[in-house]
Amino acid sequence: MAGKFTLPPLPYAYDALEPSISKQIMEIHHQKHHQTYITNLNAALDAQANALQTNNVPQLINLQQKIKFNGGGHINHSLFWANLAPYGSDYTNIARSAPGLKAAIEAQWGSVKQFIDAFNGVLLGLQGSGWGWLVRNPGEEGKLAIVSTKDQDPVTEQVPVFGVDMWEHAYYLQYTNNKASYATEIWKVINWKIAEERFTGGVVGSSLKL
Ligand SMILES: [Fe+2]
């Protein structure tokens, strides 16, 4: 039988990211949106197990998109919660918490500021719902890249160092249509310690267990 996924608790309080992300957004985003992806993923995996037992190929094909969307939603949000941290904590200080990653970013983009400008260009260039990611490629001596994914498509072939949710549900209650402000504020709550862990050891090697 397929395993049951459950909502991972946030590693901080719902109001811990204020003023960058409001308590109200965090509560709804975590308890409603993320939980719905998990509920739907579990249902799709149960249906898949039944379809496998009965060799129901049309149903197996039909379920692929549901598993991709809801499984991606679960993975992406689990990564996202862990790559955020309360503003003002040591974790949000790139120099103290991510010296290796900071050096790699500076080598590729010239400075952290130029990197953030490039990343925000990707975030604001997203059409519709999606995510922005800093990824580490498995080849090319671990070169970094800024990529976006549509809807809930997850990063599967590279290491997701950190991600930023650009769905409207991530910011609209607080920032309405001003997603540029959200994209500016999010940098105050990026957890550079987790980013450094994923940069050096991958997601499996980090303290996040999916
Ligand atoms: Fe989200």
Side-chain angles (χ1 to χ4, degrees):
M1 213 49 200
K4 287 285 180 200
F5 291 94
T6 56
L7 187 65
L10 286 184
Y12 36 74
Y14 283 111
D15 62 358
L17 305 182
E18 289 192 343
S20 299
I21 305 178
S22 73
K23 179 183 179 186
Q24 184 190 26
I25 285 181
M26 291 303 293
E27 285 178 339
I28 296 171
H29 201 172
H30 181 249
Q31 295 171 354
K32 306 294 184 189
H33 290 280
H34 190 174
Q35 180 61 62
T36 300
Y37 295 120
I38 291 169
T39 302
N40 291 339
L41 173 62
N42 287 333
L45 291 175
D46 281 347
Q48 184 190 52
N50 291 334
L52 276 170
Q53 280 191 337
T54 54
N55 290 327
N56 189 337
V57 176
Q59 173 71 341
L60 285 171
I61 293 168
N62 175 264
L63 287 164
Q64 285 180 353
Q65 179 56 26
K66 289 189 175 103
I67 293 169
K68 181 183 180 186
F69 182 76
N70 293 291
H74 173 46
I75 291 171
N76 290 343
H77 286 86
S78 299
L79 289 165
F80 182 54
W81 308 136
N83 71 224
L84 299 176
Y87 177 61
S89 65
D90 245 20
Y91 293 165
T92 60
N93 183 312
I94 186 173
R96 279 207 287 275
S97 292
L101 178 56
K102 181 170 183 281
I105 284 173
E106 288 168 344
Q108 271 189 244
W109 282 277
S111 70
V112 173
K113 182 183 182 310
Q114 284 174 284
F115 160 73
I116 289 175
D117 287 346
F119 199 107
N120 282 0
V122 170
L123 292 182
L124 299 178
L126 264 166
Q127 295 182 329
S129 298
W131 291 75
W133 300 96
L134 176 65
V135 299
R136 184 171 196 185
N137 287 298
E140 301 178 76
E141 297 173 345
K143 227 170 179 332
L144 294 165
I146 302 165
V147 300
S148 62
T149 58
K150 290 286 290 173
D151 300 323
Q152 291 298 356
D153 291 356
V155 172
T156 54
E157 295 180 358
Q158 302 141 314
V159 174
V161 177
F162 64 82
V164 176
D165 190 342
M166 286 305 287
W167 282 57
E168 284 189 348
H169 68 226
Y171 63 85
Y172 207 85
L173 281 171
Q174 185 176 0
Y175 294 95
T176 63
N177 62 331
N178 191 356
K179 63 175 158 181
S181 283
Y182 167 68
T184 300
E185 283 292 310
I186 198 75
W187 295 101
K188 296 178 180 173
V189 291
I190 292 294
N191 186 330
W192 290 105
K193 178 174 179 287
I194 287 289
E196 178 87 348
E197 286 181 11
R198 293 182 193 158
F199 172 67
T200 55
V203 172
V204 175
S206 78
S207 45
L208 172 71
K209 303 295 175 224
L210 288 173

mmCIF file of all heavy atoms in Angstrom, residues 159-201:
data_model
loop_
_atom_site.group_PDB
_atom_site.id
_atom_site.type_symbol
_atom_site.label_atom_id
_atom_site.label_comp_id
_atom_site.label_asym_id
_atom_site.label_seq_id
_atom_site.Cartn_x
_atom_site.Cartn_y
_atom_site.Cartn_z
ATOM 1 N N VAL A 159 20.117 19.812 -7.780
ATOM 2 C CA VAL A 159 19.890 20.011 -6.338
ATOM 3 C C VAL A 159 19.196 21.357 -6.141
ATOM 4 O O VAL A 159 19.737 22.395 -6.539
ATOM 5 C CB VAL A 159 21.231 20.005 -5.563
ATOM 6 C CG1 VAL A 159 20.998 20.370 -4.102
ATOM 7 C CG2 VAL A 159 21.910 18.657 -5.691
ATOM 8 N N PRO A 160 17.989 21.367 -5.539
ATOM 9 C CA PRO A 160 17.344 22.655 -5.240
ATOM 10 C C PRO A 160 17.958 23.277 -3.991
ATOM 11 O O PRO A 160 17.710 22.825 -2.883
ATOM 12 C CB PRO A 160 15.875 22.264 -5.018
ATOM 13 C CG PRO A 160 15.910 20.838 -4.585
ATOM 14 C CD PRO A 160 17.162 20.213 -5.128
ATOM 15 N N VAL A 161 18.791 24.290 -4.185
ATOM 16 C CA VAL A 161 19.475 24.919 -3.043
ATOM 17 C C VAL A 161 18.466 25.719 -2.205
ATOM 18 O O VAL A 161 18.449 25.636 -0.992
ATOM 19 C CB VAL A 161 20.630 25.816 -3.537
ATOM 20 C CG1 VAL A 161 21.303 26.529 -2.368
ATOM 21 C CG2 VAL A 161 21.652 24.983 -4.315
ATOM 22 N N PHE A 162 17.636 26.497 -2.890
ATOM 23 C CA PHE A 162 16.440 27.060 -2.240
ATOM 24 C C PHE A 162 15.446 27.466 -3.315
ATOM 25 O O PHE A 162 15.788 27.633 -4.484
ATOM 26 C CB PHE A 162 16.756 28.226 -1.288
ATOM 27 C CG PHE A 162 17.340 29.450 -1.929
ATOM 28 C CD1 PHE A 162 16.540 30.403 -2.548
ATOM 29 C CD2 PHE A 162 18.710 29.668 -1.894
ATOM 30 C CE1 PHE A 162 17.086 31.536 -3.133
ATOM 31 C CE2 PHE A 162 19.273 30.797 -2.467
ATOM 32 C CZ PHE A 162 18.457 31.730 -3.098
ATOM 33 N N GLY A 163 14.190 27.595 -2.878
ATOM 34 C CA GLY A 163 13.131 27.959 -3.807
ATOM 35 C C GLY A 163 12.287 29.094 -3.253
ATOM 36 O O GLY A 163 12.238 29.319 -2.048
ATOM 37 N N VAL A 164 11.638 29.813 -4.174
ATOM 38 C CA VAL A 164 10.715 30.888 -3.791
ATOM 39 C C VAL A 164 9.379 30.643 -4.486
ATOM 40 O O VAL A 164 9.311 30.551 -5.711
ATOM 41 C CB VAL A 164 11.273 32.278 -4.172
ATOM 42 C CG1 VAL A 164 10.243 33.369 -3.855
ATOM 43 C CG2 VAL A 164 12.584 32.553 -3.441
ATOM 44 N N ASP A 165 8.351 30.522 -3.672
ATOM 45 C CA ASP A 165 6.990 30.278 -4.161
ATOM 46 C C ASP A 165 6.447 31.568 -4.767
ATOM 47 O O ASP A 165 6.322 32.588 -4.074
ATOM 48 C CB ASP A 165 6.126 29.832 -2.971
ATOM 49 C CG ASP A 165 4.757 29.324 -3.393
ATOM 50 O OD1 ASP A 165 4.326 29.602 -4.522
ATOM 51 O OD2 ASP A 165 4.112 28.644 -2.557
ATOM 52 N N MET A 166 6.121 31.538 -6.059
ATOM 53 C CA MET A 166 5.561 32.727 -6.706
ATOM 54 C C MET A 166 4.101 32.535 -7.099
ATOM 55 O O MET A 166 3.597 33.227 -7.990
ATOM 56 C CB MET A 166 6.412 33.115 -7.928
ATOM 57 C CG MET A 166 7.746 33.749 -7.577
ATOM 58 S SD MET A 166 7.633 35.220 -6.493
ATOM 59 C CE MET A 166 6.994 36.455 -7.630
ATOM 60 N N TRP A 167 3.420 31.599 -6.453
ATOM 61 C CA TRP A 167 1.972 31.525 -6.606
ATOM 62 C C TRP A 167 1.349 32.726 -5.883
ATOM 63 O O TRP A 167 1.866 33.168 -4.854
ATOM 64 C CB TRP A 167 1.446 30.227 -5.993
ATOM 65 C CG TRP A 167 1.642 29.007 -6.831
ATOM 66 C CD1 TRP A 167 2.823 28.522 -7.307
ATOM 67 C CD2 TRP A 167 0.621 28.103 -7.267
ATOM 68 N NE1 TRP A 167 2.605 27.372 -8.025
ATOM 69 C CE2 TRP A 167 1.251 27.098 -8.012
ATOM 70 C CE3 TRP A 167 -0.763 28.056 -7.098
ATOM 71 C CZ2 TRP A 167 0.547 26.044 -8.595
ATOM 72 C CZ3 TRP A 167 -1.466 27.003 -7.674
ATOM 73 C CH2 TRP A 167 -0.814 26.021 -8.427
ATOM 74 N N GLU A 168 0.227 33.195 -6.387
ATOM 75 C CA GLU A 168 -0.419 34.337 -5.714
ATOM 76 C C GLU A 168 -0.751 34.025 -4.257
ATOM 77 O O GLU A 168 -0.737 34.908 -3.405
ATOM 78 C CB GLU A 168 -1.688 34.752 -6.468
ATOM 79 C CG GLU A 168 -1.377 35.535 -7.740
ATOM 80 C CD GLU A 168 -2.619 36.126 -8.380
ATOM 81 O OE1 GLU A 168 -3.733 35.743 -7.975
ATOM 82 O OE2 GLU A 168 -2.461 36.956 -9.288
ATOM 83 N N HIS A 169 -1.055 32.749 -3.953
ATOM 84 C CA HIS A 169 -1.406 32.430 -2.571
ATOM 85 C C HIS A 169 -0.236 32.670 -1.608
ATOM 86 O O HIS A 169 -0.423 32.712 -0.401
ATOM 87 C CB HIS A 169 -1.949 30.989 -2.440
ATOM 88 C CG HIS A 169 -0.963 29.890 -2.679
ATOM 89 N ND1 HIS A 169 -1.224 28.791 -3.469
ATOM 90 C CD2 HIS A 169 0.297 29.690 -2.224
ATOM 91 C CE1 HIS A 169 -0.194 27.979 -3.479
ATOM 92 N NE2 HIS A 169 0.746 28.499 -2.723
ATOM 93 N N ALA A 170 0.974 32.816 -2.143
ATOM 94 C CA ALA A 170 2.146 33.036 -1.297
ATOM 95 C C ALA A 170 2.281 34.489 -0.850
ATOM 96 O O ALA A 170 3.010 34.782 0.100
ATOM 97 C CB ALA A 170 3.417 32.598 -2.037
ATOM 98 N N TYR A 171 1.607 35.422 -1.537
ATOM 99 C CA TYR A 171 1.825 36.838 -1.206
ATOM 100 C C TYR A 171 0.601 37.722 -1.310
ATOM 101 O O TYR A 171 0.574 38.827 -0.768
ATOM 102 C CB TYR A 171 2.933 37.421 -2.114
ATOM 103 C CG TYR A 171 2.595 37.421 -3.584
ATOM 104 C CD1 TYR A 171 1.853 38.457 -4.159
ATOM 105 C CD2 TYR A 171 3.006 36.386 -4.416
ATOM 106 C CE1 TYR A 171 1.536 38.458 -5.507
ATOM 107 C CE2 TYR A 171 2.695 36.376 -5.758
ATOM 108 C CZ TYR A 171 1.963 37.414 -6.299
ATOM 109 O OH TYR A 171 1.643 37.408 -7.640
ATOM 110 N N TYR A 172 -0.470 37.283 -1.979
ATOM 111 C CA TYR A 172 -1.522 38.214 -2.369
ATOM 112 C C TYR A 172 -2.248 38.861 -1.179
ATOM 113 O O TYR A 172 -2.582 40.046 -1.232
ATOM 114 C CB TYR A 172 -2.537 37.519 -3.292
ATOM 115 C CG TYR A 172 -3.217 38.498 -4.221
ATOM 116 C CD1 TYR A 172 -2.625 38.870 -5.430
ATOM 117 C CD2 TYR A 172 -4.427 39.090 -3.864
ATOM 118 C CE1 TYR A 172 -3.220 39.795 -6.261
ATOM 119 C CE2 TYR A 172 -5.027 40.021 -4.703
ATOM 120 C CZ TYR A 172 -4.424 40.363 -5.897
ATOM 121 O OH TYR A 172 -5.007 41.285 -6.721
ATOM 122 N N LEU A 173 -2.482 38.112 -0.112
ATOM 123 C CA LEU A 173 -3.195 38.658 1.054
ATOM 124 C C LEU A 173 -2.449 39.830 1.684
ATOM 125 O O LEU A 173 -3.049 40.688 2.322
ATOM 126 C CB LEU A 173 -3.386 37.562 2.109
ATOM 127 C CG LEU A 173 -4.515 36.573 1.855
ATOM 128 C CD1 LEU A 173 -4.434 35.425 2.851
ATOM 129 C CD2 LEU A 173 -5.870 37.271 1.965
ATOM 130 N N GLN A 174 -1.150 39.858 1.501
ATOM 131 C CA GLN A 174 -0.326 40.910 2.111
ATOM 132 C C GLN A 174 0.143 41.954 1.097
ATOM 133 O O GLN A 174 0.158 43.146 1.382
ATOM 134 C CB GLN A 174 0.886 40.264 2.782
ATOM 135 C CG GLN A 174 1.778 41.211 3.549
ATOM 136 C CD GLN A 174 2.897 40.457 4.263
ATOM 137 O OE1 GLN A 174 2.994 39.224 4.185
ATOM 138 N NE2 GLN A 174 3.741 41.193 4.966
ATOM 139 N N TYR A 175 0.506 41.500 -0.079
ATOM 140 C CA TYR A 175 1.117 42.401 -1.063
ATOM 141 C C TYR A 175 0.196 42.718 -2.238
ATOM 142 O O TYR A 175 0.572 43.464 -3.119
ATOM 143 C CB TYR A 175 2.409 41.769 -1.602
ATOM 144 C CG TYR A 175 3.496 41.635 -0.565
ATOM 145 C CD1 TYR A 175 3.671 40.452 0.152
ATOM 146 C CD2 TYR A 175 4.346 42.701 -0.280
ATOM 147 C CE1 TYR A 175 4.670 40.336 1.113
ATOM 148 C CE2 TYR A 175 5.347 42.596 0.671
ATOM 149 C CZ TYR A 175 5.507 41.402 1.366
ATOM 150 O OH TYR A 175 6.492 41.302 2.309
ATOM 151 N N THR A 176 -0.997 42.150 -2.237
ATOM 152 C CA THR A 176 -1.930 42.211 -3.377
ATOM 153 C C THR A 176 -1.171 41.990 -4.684
ATOM 154 O O THR A 176 -0.469 40.990 -4.816
ATOM 155 C CB THR A 176 -2.763 43.526 -3.376
ATOM 156 O OG1 THR A 176 -1.905 44.631 -3.522
ATOM 157 C CG2 THR A 176 -3.581 43.622 -2.107
ATOM 158 N N ASN A 177 -1.265 42.923 -5.643
ATOM 159 C CA ASN A 177 -0.630 42.661 -6.944
ATOM 160 C C ASN A 177 0.831 43.105 -6.992
ATOM 161 O O ASN A 177 1.474 43.020 -8.040
ATOM 162 C CB ASN A 177 -1.417 43.370 -8.055
ATOM 163 C CG ASN A 177 -1.421 44.878 -7.858
ATOM 164 O OD1 ASN A 177 -1.346 45.347 -6.721
ATOM 165 N ND2 ASN A 177 -1.497 45.624 -8.940
ATOM 166 N N ASN A 178 1.381 43.552 -5.854
ATOM 167 C CA ASN A 178 2.750 44.073 -5.850
ATOM 168 C C ASN A 178 3.750 42.952 -5.591
ATOM 169 O O ASN A 178 4.371 42.878 -4.531
ATOM 170 C CB ASN A 178 2.873 45.171 -4.782
ATOM 171 C CG ASN A 178 4.183 45.934 -4.917
ATOM 172 O OD1 ASN A 178 5.025 45.605 -5.756
ATOM 173 N ND2 ASN A 178 4.359 46.937 -4.078
ATOM 174 N N LYS A 179 3.911 42.105 -6.577
ATOM 175 C CA LYS A 179 4.795 40.963 -6.339
ATOM 176 C C LYS A 179 6.265 41.373 -6.307
ATOM 177 O O LYS A 179 7.097 40.641 -5.793
ATOM 178 C CB LYS A 179 4.536 39.826 -7.316
ATOM 179 C CG LYS A 179 4.773 40.074 -8.769
ATOM 180 C CD LYS A 179 4.551 38.749 -9.495
ATOM 181 C CE LYS A 179 4.243 38.948 -10.954
ATOM 182 N NZ LYS A 179 4.008 37.677 -11.646
ATOM 183 N N ALA A 180 6.582 42.558 -6.819
ATOM 184 C CA ALA A 180 7.970 43.032 -6.733
ATOM 185 C C ALA A 180 8.365 43.258 -5.271
ATOM 186 O O ALA A 180 9.502 42.971 -4.883
ATOM 187 C CB ALA A 180 8.138 44.313 -7.537
ATOM 188 N N SER A 181 7.428 43.753 -4.456
ATOM 189 C CA SER A 181 7.731 43.947 -3.030
ATOM 190 C C SER A 181 7.947 42.612 -2.334
ATOM 191 O O SER A 181 8.846 42.465 -1.510
ATOM 192 C CB SER A 181 6.586 44.690 -2.332
ATOM 193 O OG SER A 181 6.645 46.042 -2.634
ATOM 194 N N TYR A 182 7.100 41.658 -2.653
ATOM 195 C CA TYR A 182 7.284 40.312 -2.092
ATOM 196 C C TYR A 182 8.655 39.760 -2.477
ATOM 197 O O TYR A 182 9.376 39.208 -1.639
ATOM 198 C CB TYR A 182 6.160 39.405 -2.599
ATOM 199 C CG TYR A 182 6.364 37.927 -2.357
ATOM 200 C CD1 TYR A 182 6.332 37.393 -1.067
ATOM 201 C CD2 TYR A 182 6.560 37.049 -3.429
ATOM 202 C CE1 TYR A 182 6.506 36.026 -0.852
ATOM 203 C CE2 TYR A 182 6.725 35.689 -3.222
ATOM 204 C CZ TYR A 182 6.708 35.181 -1.933
ATOM 205 O OH TYR A 182 6.884 33.839 -1.728
ATOM 206 N N ALA A 183 9.033 39.935 -3.739
ATOM 207 C CA ALA A 183 10.323 39.419 -4.212
ATOM 208 C C ALA A 183 11.491 40.128 -3.534
ATOM 209 O O ALA A 183 12.570 39.559 -3.401
ATOM 210 C CB ALA A 183 10.414 39.557 -5.737
ATOM 211 N N THR A 184 11.291 41.357 -3.102
ATOM 212 C CA THR A 184 12.342 42.069 -2.368
ATOM 213 C C THR A 184 12.411 41.592 -0.917
ATOM 214 O O THR A 184 13.485 41.334 -0.376
ATOM 215 C CB THR A 184 12.069 43.594 -2.392
ATOM 216 O OG1 THR A 184 12.045 44.022 -3.749
ATOM 217 C CG2 THR A 184 13.136 44.359 -1.629
ATOM 218 N N GLU A 185 11.235 41.471 -0.307
ATOM 219 C CA GLU A 185 11.161 41.111 1.114
ATOM 220 C C GLU A 185 11.621 39.682 1.404
ATOM 221 O O GLU A 185 12.140 39.388 2.479
ATOM 222 C CB GLU A 185 9.722 41.282 1.617
ATOM 223 C CG GLU A 185 9.341 42.719 1.879
ATOM 224 C CD GLU A 185 10.087 43.310 3.063
ATOM 225 O OE1 GLU A 185 10.104 42.669 4.124
ATOM 226 O OE2 GLU A 185 10.660 44.395 2.919
ATOM 227 N N ILE A 186 11.427 38.786 0.448
ATOM 228 C CA ILE A 186 11.713 37.368 0.710
ATOM 229 C C ILE A 186 13.189 37.156 1.065
ATOM 230 O O ILE A 186 13.530 36.228 1.811
ATOM 231 C CB ILE A 186 11.300 36.497 -0.508
ATOM 232 C CG1 ILE A 186 11.164 35.031 -0.116
ATOM 233 C CG2 ILE A 186 12.281 36.631 -1.663
ATOM 234 C CD1 ILE A 186 9.946 34.703 0.665
ATOM 235 N N TRP A 187 14.060 38.061 0.569
ATOM 236 C CA TRP A 187 15.497 37.882 0.832
ATOM 237 C C TRP A 187 15.852 38.106 2.291
ATOM 238 O O TRP A 187 16.911 37.684 2.752
ATOM 239 C CB TRP A 187 16.313 38.800 -0.087
ATOM 240 C CG TRP A 187 16.136 38.383 -1.501
ATOM 241 C CD1 TRP A 187 15.326 38.973 -2.437
ATOM 242 C CD2 TRP A 187 16.698 37.235 -2.142
ATOM 243 N NE1 TRP A 187 15.360 38.261 -3.605
ATOM 244 C CE2 TRP A 187 16.194 37.196 -3.459
ATOM 245 C CE3 TRP A 187 17.582 36.230 -1.729
ATOM 246 C CZ2 TRP A 187 16.550 36.187 -4.365
ATOM 247 C CZ3 TRP A 187 17.939 35.231 -2.631
ATOM 248 C CH2 TRP A 187 17.417 35.226 -3.925
ATOM 249 N N LYS A 188 14.966 38.763 3.032
ATOM 250 C CA LYS A 188 15.223 38.982 4.466
ATOM 251 C C LYS A 188 14.977 37.721 5.280
ATOM 252 O O LYS A 188 15.351 37.657 6.450
ATOM 253 C CB LYS A 188 14.325 40.112 4.991
ATOM 254 C CG LYS A 188 14.621 41.454 4.342
ATOM 255 C CD LYS A 188 13.660 42.518 4.870
ATOM 256 C CE LYS A 188 13.949 43.870 4.211
ATOM 257 N NZ LYS A 188 12.921 44.880 4.586
ATOM 258 N N VAL A 189 14.313 36.738 4.670
ATOM 259 C CA VAL A 189 13.967 35.530 5.428
ATOM 260 C C VAL A 189 14.454 34.241 4.742
ATOM 261 O O VAL A 189 13.939 33.159 5.017
ATOM 262 C CB VAL A 189 12.437 35.462 5.707
ATOM 263 C CG1 VAL A 189 12.031 36.540 6.695
ATOM 264 C CG2 VAL A 189 11.623 35.566 4.423
ATOM 265 N N ILE A 190 15.429 34.365 3.853
ATOM 266 C CA ILE A 190 16.021 33.152 3.277
ATOM 267 C C ILE A 190 16.938 32.509 4.318
ATOM 268 O O ILE A 190 17.756 33.177 4.944
ATOM 269 C CB ILE A 190 16.822 33.475 1.991
ATOM 270 C CG1 ILE A 190 15.884 33.923 0.860
ATOM 271 C CG2 ILE A 190 17.669 32.272 1.550
ATOM 272 C CD1 ILE A 190 14.929 32.855 0.347
ATOM 273 N N ASN A 191 16.789 31.208 4.494
ATOM 274 C CA ASN A 191 17.602 30.457 5.456
ATOM 275 C C ASN A 191 18.883 29.991 4.750
ATOM 276 O O ASN A 191 18.915 28.966 4.071
ATOM 277 C CB ASN A 191 16.810 29.262 5.978
ATOM 278 C CG ASN A 191 17.535 28.508 7.085
ATOM 279 O OD1 ASN A 191 18.761 28.481 7.123
ATOM 280 N ND2 ASN A 191 16.776 27.905 7.974
ATOM 281 N N TRP A 192 19.937 30.778 4.927
ATOM 282 C CA TRP A 192 21.186 30.492 4.221
ATOM 283 C C TRP A 192 21.906 29.274 4.802
ATOM 284 O O TRP A 192 22.737 28.665 4.123
ATOM 285 C CB TRP A 192 22.090 31.724 4.245
ATOM 286 C CG TRP A 192 21.563 32.832 3.386
ATOM 287 C CD1 TRP A 192 20.948 33.979 3.799
ATOM 288 C CD2 TRP A 192 21.571 32.883 1.952
ATOM 289 N NE1 TRP A 192 20.577 34.741 2.715
ATOM 290 C CE2 TRP A 192 20.944 34.104 1.577
ATOM 291 C CE3 TRP A 192 22.038 32.029 0.948
ATOM 292 C CZ2 TRP A 192 20.783 34.469 0.240
ATOM 293 C CZ3 TRP A 192 21.878 32.398 -0.385
ATOM 294 C CH2 TRP A 192 21.259 33.604 -0.727
ATOM 295 N N LYS A 193 21.606 28.924 6.030
ATOM 296 C CA LYS A 193 22.241 27.729 6.603
ATOM 297 C C LYS A 193 21.751 26.481 5.873
ATOM 298 O O LYS A 193 22.544 25.604 5.514
ATOM 299 C CB LYS A 193 21.933 27.627 8.103
ATOM 300 C CG LYS A 193 22.525 26.385 8.746
ATOM 301 C CD LYS A 193 22.334 26.386 10.257
ATOM 302 C CE LYS A 193 22.921 25.130 10.886
ATOM 303 N NZ LYS A 193 22.108 23.929 10.608
ATOM 304 N N ILE A 194 20.420 26.399 5.668
ATOM 305 C CA ILE A 194 19.872 25.266 4.923
ATOM 306 C C ILE A 194 20.372 25.297 3.475
ATOM 307 O O ILE A 194 20.696 24.262 2.888
ATOM 308 C CB ILE A 194 18.328 25.300 4.968
ATOM 309 C CG1 ILE A 194 17.836 24.891 6.355
ATOM 310 C CG2 ILE A 194 17.727 24.402 3.902
ATOM 311 C CD1 ILE A 194 18.025 23.421 6.690
ATOM 312 N N ALA A 195 20.439 26.495 2.899
ATOM 313 C CA ALA A 195 20.928 26.617 1.523
ATOM 314 C C ALA A 195 22.363 26.088 1.419
ATOM 315 O O ALA A 195 22.713 25.361 0.480
ATOM 316 C CB ALA A 195 20.858 28.081 1.073
ATOM 317 N N GLU A 196 23.181 26.436 2.400
ATOM 318 C CA GLU A 196 24.582 25.951 2.412
ATOM 319 C C GLU A 196 24.622 24.422 2.542
ATOM 320 O O GLU A 196 25.409 23.751 1.879
ATOM 321 C CB GLU A 196 25.341 26.606 3.576
ATOM 322 C CG GLU A 196 26.796 26.154 3.733
ATOM 323 C CD GLU A 196 27.765 26.972 2.886
ATOM 324 O OE1 GLU A 196 27.312 27.730 2.005
ATOM 325 O OE2 GLU A 196 28.986 26.838 3.108
ATOM 326 N N GLU A 197 23.747 23.881 3.385
ATOM 327 C CA GLU A 197 23.712 22.422 3.561
ATOM 328 C C GLU A 197 23.330 21.714 2.266
ATOM 329 O O GLU A 197 23.918 20.699 1.898
ATOM 330 C CB GLU A 197 22.707 22.047 4.654
ATOM 331 C CG GLU A 197 23.182 22.338 6.060
ATOM 332 C CD GLU A 197 22.151 21.923 7.111
ATOM 333 O OE1 GLU A 197 21.164 21.236 6.766
ATOM 334 O OE2 GLU A 197 22.350 22.286 8.274
ATOM 335 N N ARG A 198 22.328 22.250 1.570
ATOM 336 C CA ARG A 198 21.916 21.624 0.307
ATOM 337 C C ARG A 198 22.981 21.819 -0.764
ATOM 338 O O ARG A 198 23.208 20.945 -1.597
ATOM 339 C CB ARG A 198 20.580 22.214 -0.156
ATOM 340 C CG ARG A 198 19.411 21.867 0.749
ATOM 341 C CD ARG A 198 18.124 22.457 0.196
ATOM 342 N NE ARG A 198 17.046 22.423 1.174
ATOM 343 C CZ ARG A 198 15.978 23.208 1.137
ATOM 344 N NH1 ARG A 198 15.841 24.090 0.163
ATOM 345 N NH2 ARG A 198 15.048 23.114 2.062
ATOM 346 N N PHE A 199 23.640 22.974 -0.738
ATOM 347 C CA PHE A 199 24.704 23.263 -1.705
ATOM 348 C C PHE A 199 25.850 22.270 -1.553
ATOM 349 O O PHE A 199 26.388 21.781 -2.540
ATOM 350 C CB PHE A 199 25.200 24.693 -1.478
ATOM 351 C CG PHE A 199 26.421 25.067 -2.269
ATOM 352 C CD1 PHE A 199 26.374 25.180 -3.653
ATOM 353 C CD2 PHE A 199 27.633 25.314 -1.626
ATOM 354 C CE1 PHE A 199 27.502 25.528 -4.385
ATOM 355 C CE2 PHE A 199 28.763 25.662 -2.351
ATOM 356 C CZ PHE A 199 28.694 25.763 -3.727
ATOM 357 N N THR A 200 26.187 21.926 -0.324
ATOM 358 C CA THR A 200 27.327 21.040 -0.112
ATOM 359 C C THR A 200 26.940 19.567 -0.080
ATOM 360 O O THR A 200 27.690 18.719 -0.546
ATOM 361 C CB THR A 200 28.059 21.386 1.209
ATOM 362 O OG1 THR A 200 27.109 21.358 2.277
ATOM 363 C CG2 THR A 200 28.689 22.755 1.148
ATOM 364 N N GLY A 201 25.748 19.242 0.462
ATOM 365 C CA GLY A 201 25.399 17.833 0.643
ATOM 366 C C GLY A 201 24.146 17.380 -0.070
ATOM 367 O O GLY A 201 23.740 16.225 0.070
#
